[in-house]
Amino acid sequence: YYICVGCNSVEKKIYVHLNYTFPCVRLLNATHQIGCQSSLSGNVGVLHELESEENLDWVLTSGPNPPYMVILESRLFTRSIMMKLKEGSGRVAGVVVVAPNINPPEGFSPHTACPNDNSGVYTENYDPTLAHCNATVWNPLGNGLAYEEFDFPIFSVKDDNDTRVIRQCYQDHNRRVNGSNPQFPLCAMQLRSSMSAVTNTATCKRRNDINFSLTPDRVCDELGDFNIWASSRPMNTTTKGHKEFESVVIAAARMDSRSFFFDIAPGAESTASGIVTLLAAAHALRRATQEAPPNRTILYTFFQGETFDYIGSSRMVYDMENNQFPLDLDNIHSVLEVSQVGLHSDSKLWLHSDPVSRKNSSVKEELVNGLKSASAGLNVSVDEPDVSQPLPPSSFQRFLLARPIPGVVIGNYRSSFTNRYYESMYDNAEYLNVSYPENMTSEEQLEHFPETVKTLTEVATLVARALYVQAGGNETQLANITADPQIVNQMLYSFLVRANNSWLQQLVPTDFTNHLGKLLFFSLPTNFYVGVIQYFSEPTTLVQYMLANMTGSVVNVTQEDCQKQREDKDDDQSKHLYTYMWVQGAAPPNSTEREGFCVRSTVHRSIAVSPAFELHEYTTSNYSTWTESVWKPITGRIFLVASHDLEMLTLGVGITVLLTSLVLTYVISSKADILFSSGREPTSATY
């Protein structure tokens, strides 16, 4: 017979592991390191919930059981408090920030007040009076917290089961009662986020290069991914450099965002509003550019890594200058960049241009006038700032740095961002007013249009019409160029609410969900953090397939031919002009088998890694030098800890028992012949 024995892991009885934590990680550039880290084995501290800034004294001076692991409500996650904790880091083991379910009304931006300072066009050599945000502070709420260095771990946890367990443990064991100090055992937490890289990018890249093991371990990786671009007419991508008689209008948007915490970068207004607007504009222009092609080509361009000193745009400009791109800078007629365009209290967009290069630019005036005329009949008005001011942070600045190209940046702000949560975890669907009734299914939500959908549809129509006119199209076609609100809603829903939806699944290949991982399986919104080049980027692939479906066409070819980039087995030319993508399509009614098809488009990827890493110039100020540290497994757990005196007593008793057992073992071993001897029978004994 069998005896079943049940047992529980001792480790599980001691520790409660935190399941959904988002750490602050270390980033480095040419001169600095920023972010957070723990010791190799993790930092351990007694839990203390901070109730107000005045309560800091307990953590920093008077608390009897340092170091402390500080629990912060989001309202206390301010620069003032965090810098005080940093200064008293000898008594601070780490910080846990409880992310709220609603956004703080006062606003919060951990980015700097002058984003991408020193990496744009405005320098002492171009126009010193406009450099360093001397003329206008674009992000007035920016506190720069995300660009500080902390020598202890900082994690964010959602206000859910994990948070309740942490608070209950604190209430039961650590909370002061009637002013008396809490008694042991106390509730403690361990946070582990050990970072490998230190000092700056040059140091970590040098350490990467001197590893002599057979399986070398990297200590940092450069930030980067791919830019996504498509042309309104086919273009030979095999030949690089200048193309005769080719003039292009670049329509640009950025694809990345960030926040203080790794893996939380919703970027609703700062990023998604621009992406959705430009994609919807490209979709609205598909028929017009085919039936009545304008004189110039429209190049829809989505730059990656712009948050970190314009990684994507600086790389495209570098490639154009060095004949590594199908076009060069001489082919560019003008630039229209779509910035933050989520409209809130009013319906006005502002047209920003460079006060230096625009002095002698009639092309720029044509673009501005085209935008103003395109707004006729729409519920969106456009205007120019009435004072001379620099361009806002934008990819267009990197093109201006290389060449005085005419261009306009369109945004919902006049002289400073209206986005109160720029580059923070609160720049989410809630802030952009993208919400749906709770009782709706996913399919019903895809058919429901929030107010933001209507305004962004208007903005997309405006951008599409302006691009068509700027490209030399006939104005009589403008009435036929209108963005589709359903497409806008489906994209907003996919980026900001749930990527795992029936509409998006039709646009991607079968194996796409395997790459997206938790994004699809856990129904999370898109994370717009650029990441490192070695790993999969969610927004890049989403934009790639969306743009292909928005601008391309379905062709009747086999899956094999589609994947081999050809129309048929004898076709060896189409691959130079088009990209072919086999997508899984929709499943017919009463069937689970999807009917896939082939999409032919002009969508391409180009590398978005800073030229500094190709040139091995890790201390340059001309290009982005941002890298991300490699780290050990990131974990968090809580447990009860005994007093130091009890621990010492237990250790002493253990050592005493050990020494006593050793002495006894020695004595018994030395006297074994006496202690364990037995009478022996005489050799002559018989039986």
Tab-separated table of all heavy atoms in Angstrom, residues 10 42 99 132 153 206 229 233 248 267 272 274 324 378 381 397 401 406 454 505 515 556 569 575 590 599 603 675:
chain	number	residue	atom	x	y	z
A	10	VAL	N	9.183	25.142	3.342
A	10	VAL	CA	9.538	26.046	4.434
A	10	VAL	C	9.681	27.472	3.898
A	10	VAL	O	9.286	28.442	4.550
A	10	VAL	CB	10.844	25.572	5.100
A	10	VAL	CG1	11.312	26.586	6.142
A	10	VAL	CG2	10.656	24.209	5.723
A	42	GLY	N	20.163	41.803	-2.732
A	42	GLY	CA	18.929	42.519	-2.470
A	42	GLY	C	19.006	43.323	-1.183
A	42	GLY	O	19.748	42.973	-0.260
A	99	ALA	N	0.933	52.549	-6.862
A	99	ALA	CA	0.319	53.235	-8.003
A	99	ALA	C	-1.184	53.329	-7.783
A	99	ALA	O	-1.835	52.325	-7.490
A	99	ALA	CB	0.624	52.493	-9.295
A	132	HIS	N	18.688	75.701	-24.374
A	132	HIS	CA	18.436	75.371	-22.961
A	132	HIS	C	17.117	75.936	-22.450
A	132	HIS	O	17.006	76.320	-21.278
A	132	HIS	CB	19.592	75.858	-22.090
A	132	HIS	CG	20.942	75.475	-22.613
A	132	HIS	ND1	21.307	74.159	-22.842
A	132	HIS	CD2	22.013	76.239	-22.991
A	132	HIS	CE1	22.551	74.132	-23.304
A	132	HIS	NE2	22.985	75.365	-23.414
A	153	PRO	N	16.828	50.402	-4.148
A	153	PRO	CA	15.798	50.039	-5.127
A	153	PRO	C	14.507	50.817	-4.889
A	153	PRO	O	14.142	51.110	-3.745
A	153	PRO	CB	15.598	48.540	-4.897
A	153	PRO	CG	15.978	48.333	-3.462
A	153	PRO	CD	17.077	49.317	-3.171
A	206	ARG	N	33.344	49.423	-22.320
A	206	ARG	CA	34.708	48.903	-22.192
A	206	ARG	C	34.692	47.585	-21.426
A	206	ARG	O	35.411	46.640	-21.777
A	206	ARG	CB	35.586	49.937	-21.485
A	206	ARG	CG	37.053	49.509	-21.375
A	206	ARG	CD	37.948	50.633	-20.869
A	206	ARG	NE	37.623	51.031	-19.513
A	206	ARG	CZ	37.047	52.174	-19.178
A	206	ARG	NH1	36.719	53.055	-20.123
A	206	ARG	NH2	36.788	52.471	-17.920
A	229	TRP	N	8.853	53.029	-41.660
A	229	TRP	CA	8.504	54.045	-42.648
A	229	TRP	C	7.848	53.393	-43.866
A	229	TRP	O	8.024	52.213	-44.141
A	229	TRP	CB	9.726	54.853	-43.074
A	229	TRP	CG	10.855	54.051	-43.684
A	229	TRP	CD1	11.871	53.425	-43.028
A	229	TRP	CD2	11.063	53.805	-45.083
A	229	TRP	NE1	12.703	52.789	-43.921
A	229	TRP	CE2	12.236	53.012	-45.197
A	229	TRP	CE3	10.382	54.175	-46.242
A	229	TRP	CZ2	12.731	52.588	-46.420
A	229	TRP	CZ3	10.885	53.751	-47.474
A	229	TRP	CH2	12.043	52.974	-47.552
A	233	ARG	N	4.166	55.978	-52.696
A	233	ARG	CA	4.335	55.284	-53.978
A	233	ARG	C	5.553	54.370	-53.877
A	233	ARG	O	6.456	54.642	-53.084
A	233	ARG	CB	4.488	56.291	-55.125
A	233	ARG	CG	5.771	57.081	-55.086
A	233	ARG	CD	5.836	58.092	-56.228
A	233	ARG	NE	4.964	59.242	-55.959
A	233	ARG	CZ	4.816	60.265	-56.804
A	233	ARG	NH1	5.451	60.268	-57.958
A	233	ARG	NH2	4.027	61.277	-56.479
A	248	VAL	N	10.266	64.305	-51.511
A	248	VAL	CA	9.396	63.688	-50.515
A	248	VAL	C	9.009	64.687	-49.429
A	248	VAL	O	9.788	65.571	-49.059
A	248	VAL	CB	10.064	62.457	-49.858
A	248	VAL	CG1	10.412	61.408	-50.891
A	248	VAL	CG2	11.278	62.855	-49.049
A	267	GLY	N	2.273	56.359	-22.356
A	267	GLY	CA	2.449	57.370	-23.398
A	267	GLY	C	1.204	57.716	-24.179
A	267	GLY	O	1.276	57.914	-25.394
A	272	ALA	N	0.967	57.969	-28.177
A	272	ALA	CA	-0.110	57.276	-28.888
A	272	ALA	C	-0.982	58.225	-29.693
A	272	ALA	O	-1.429	57.877	-30.788
A	272	ALA	CB	-0.974	56.492	-27.899
A	274	GLY	N	-0.148	60.874	-31.334
A	274	GLY	CA	0.524	61.167	-32.594
A	274	GLY	C	0.567	59.973	-33.524
A	274	GLY	O	0.357	60.107	-34.740
A	324	GLN	N	23.198	55.381	-46.751
A	324	GLN	CA	22.772	54.090	-46.219
A	324	GLN	C	21.253	53.997	-46.137
A	324	GLN	O	20.724	53.079	-45.513
A	324	GLN	CB	23.393	53.871	-44.832
A	324	GLN	CG	24.915	53.787	-44.853
A	324	GLN	CD	25.509	53.652	-43.457
A	324	GLN	OE1	24.809	53.301	-42.500
A	324	GLN	NE2	26.800	53.924	-43.326
A	378	LEU	N	-13.870	71.689	-40.409
A	378	LEU	CA	-13.614	70.754	-39.315
A	378	LEU	C	-13.808	71.459	-37.976
A	378	LEU	O	-13.772	72.691	-37.897
A	378	LEU	CB	-12.181	70.200	-39.403
A	378	LEU	CG	-11.829	69.439	-40.686
A	378	LEU	CD1	-10.344	69.055	-40.677
A	378	LEU	CD2	-12.693	68.192	-40.832
A	381	SER	N	-9.408	74.042	-34.986
A	381	SER	CA	-8.791	75.254	-35.521
A	381	SER	C	-7.288	75.199	-35.293
A	381	SER	O	-6.813	74.560	-34.353
A	381	SER	CB	-9.375	76.496	-34.847
A	381	SER	OG	-9.153	76.465	-33.450
A	397	GLN	N	13.987	68.534	-35.263
A	397	GLN	CA	15.198	69.270	-34.899
A	397	GLN	C	16.456	68.585	-35.420
A	397	GLN	O	17.431	69.255	-35.784
A	397	GLN	CB	15.272	69.424	-33.378
A	397	GLN	CG	14.258	70.386	-32.792
A	397	GLN	CD	14.669	70.871	-31.416
A	397	GLN	OE1	15.862	71.019	-31.122
A	397	GLN	NE2	13.699	71.140	-30.557
A	401	LEU	N	19.278	70.226	-37.794
A	401	LEU	CA	20.674	70.257	-37.381
A	401	LEU	C	21.604	69.945	-38.553
A	401	LEU	O	22.748	70.407	-38.602
A	401	LEU	CB	20.888	69.245	-36.254
A	401	LEU	CG	22.155	69.361	-35.404
A	401	LEU	CD1	22.236	70.716	-34.732
A	401	LEU	CD2	22.181	68.262	-34.348
A	406	PRO	N	12.560	73.066	-44.535
A	406	PRO	CA	11.313	73.659	-44.048
A	406	PRO	C	10.466	72.606	-43.335
A	406	PRO	O	10.448	71.433	-43.717
A	406	PRO	CB	10.608	74.136	-45.324
A	406	PRO	CG	11.656	74.122	-46.388
A	406	PRO	CD	12.640	73.073	-46.012
A	454	LYS	N	-13.496	61.023	-31.693
A	454	LYS	CA	-14.049	62.002	-32.633
A	454	LYS	C	-13.065	63.139	-32.884
A	454	LYS	O	-12.874	63.565	-34.030
A	454	LYS	CB	-15.372	62.542	-32.091
A	454	LYS	CG	-16.424	61.450	-31.857
A	454	LYS	CD	-17.657	61.979	-31.140
A	454	LYS	CE	-18.623	60.852	-30.821
A	454	LYS	NZ	-19.799	61.313	-30.044
A	505	GLN	N	-5.836	41.144	-34.033
A	505	GLN	CA	-5.394	39.795	-34.352
A	505	GLN	C	-5.554	39.471	-35.836
A	505	GLN	O	-4.838	38.624	-36.357
A	505	GLN	CB	-6.174	38.788	-33.500
A	505	GLN	CG	-5.779	38.816	-32.035
A	505	GLN	CD	-6.630	37.908	-31.184
A	505	GLN	OE1	-7.589	37.310	-31.672
A	505	GLN	NE2	-6.301	37.797	-29.909
A	515	HIS	N	5.407	36.367	-29.664
A	515	HIS	CA	6.390	37.426	-29.412
A	515	HIS	C	5.858	38.454	-28.424
A	515	HIS	O	6.604	38.995	-27.615
A	515	HIS	CB	6.768	38.119	-30.718
A	515	HIS	CG	7.497	37.244	-31.679
A	515	HIS	ND1	8.788	36.821	-31.462
A	515	HIS	CD2	7.128	36.703	-32.862
A	515	HIS	CE1	9.182	36.056	-32.472
A	515	HIS	NE2	8.194	35.968	-33.330
A	556	ASN	N	-3.421	38.389	-54.247
A	556	ASN	CA	-3.800	36.978	-54.325
A	556	ASN	C	-2.573	36.127	-54.646
A	556	ASN	O	-2.317	35.767	-55.794
A	556	ASN	CB	-4.891	36.790	-55.390
A	556	ASN	CG	-5.407	35.361	-55.423
A	556	ASN	OD1	-5.284	34.623	-54.443
A	556	ASN	ND2	-5.971	34.961	-56.564
A	569	LYS	N	6.713	32.493	-58.501
A	569	LYS	CA	8.062	31.922	-58.448
A	569	LYS	C	9.033	32.561	-59.428
A	569	LYS	O	10.252	32.439	-59.273
A	569	LYS	CB	7.995	30.415	-58.692
A	569	LYS	CG	7.476	30.027	-60.071
A	569	LYS	CD	7.450	28.518	-60.226
A	569	LYS	CE	6.955	28.107	-61.623
A	569	LYS	NZ	6.947	26.634	-61.777
A	575	LYS	N	10.412	42.444	-54.709
A	575	LYS	CA	11.021	42.568	-53.387
A	575	LYS	C	11.821	43.854	-53.241
A	575	LYS	O	12.103	44.284	-52.115
A	575	LYS	CB	11.917	41.365	-53.108
A	575	LYS	CG	13.093	41.225	-54.065
A	575	LYS	CD	13.894	39.973	-53.766
A	575	LYS	CE	15.065	39.819	-54.729
A	575	LYS	NZ	15.818	38.567	-54.486
A	590	ASN	N	-18.864	30.461	-37.283
A	590	ASN	CA	-18.968	29.025	-36.973
A	590	ASN	C	-17.709	28.249	-37.330
A	590	ASN	O	-17.757	27.082	-37.691
A	590	ASN	CB	-20.178	28.401	-37.678
A	590	ASN	CG	-21.478	29.091	-37.300
A	590	ASN	OD1	-21.670	29.449	-36.142
A	590	ASN	ND2	-22.352	29.291	-38.287
A	599	VAL	N	-0.562	40.768	-47.512
A	599	VAL	CA	-0.641	42.225	-47.648
A	599	VAL	C	0.645	42.722	-48.304
A	599	VAL	O	1.748	42.455	-47.820
A	599	VAL	CB	-0.826	42.898	-46.278
A	599	VAL	CG1	-0.819	44.414	-46.427
A	599	VAL	CG2	-2.124	42.436	-45.627
A	603	VAL	N	5.896	49.347	-46.634
A	603	VAL	CA	6.378	49.513	-45.258
A	603	VAL	C	7.741	48.842	-45.088
A	603	VAL	O	7.929	47.698	-45.497
A	603	VAL	CB	5.369	48.930	-44.255
A	603	VAL	CG1	5.931	48.967	-42.831
A	603	VAL	CG2	4.053	49.692	-44.324
A	675	LEU	N	34.556	2.668	25.189
A	675	LEU	CA	33.106	2.837	25.275
A	675	LEU	C	32.352	1.772	24.498
A	675	LEU	O	31.245	1.369	24.884
A	675	LEU	CB	32.708	4.227	24.773
A	675	LEU	CG	33.195	5.410	25.618
A	675	LEU	CD1	32.854	6.722	24.940
A	675	LEU	CD2	32.580	5.355	27.013
